[in-house]
Amino acid sequence: MGFVKFMVSPAGRLIRAIAGIALIVVGLLIVKGTVGIVLAVVGVVPLAAGVFDLCIFAPLFGMPFSGGKVRGGQG
């Protein structure tokens, strides 16, 4: 549960957003082509999750999808 708690913290959200941006940049500027586009599209997932305060891994641990609900102890 500590992993999920970290991922919904401000630091975890920032790391997810930065990782998403990095995947998008690497995909579009370094890898290029079809594989680069796929990598960029995959990068949108952690970026969106960080920006919109969602934790994709939380349901795997029986916790709610919303970061706010995890931090509030709901679920």
Side-chain angles (χ1 to χ4, degrees):
M1 302 298 179
F3 173 73
V4 174
K5 295 283 186 182
F6 171 74
M7 292 305 286
V8 300
S9 72
R13 290 180 65 195
L14 181 64
I15 288 171
R16 286 184 284 157
I18 291 171
I21 292 169
L23 285 171
I24 292 168
V25 168
V26 168
L28 295 178
L29 300 179
I30 297 172
V31 177
K32 299 181 182 173
T34 304
V35 175
I37 292 171
V38 170
L39 189 60
V41 169
V42 168
V44 171
V45 174
L47 176 61
V51 169
F52 295 115
D53 195 15
L54 303 172
C55 187
I56 297 168
F57 298 108
L60 297 174
F61 295 96
M63 300 175 98
F65 190 61
S66 169
K69 288 183 181 178
V70 173
R71 283 189 301 279
Q74 298 174 356

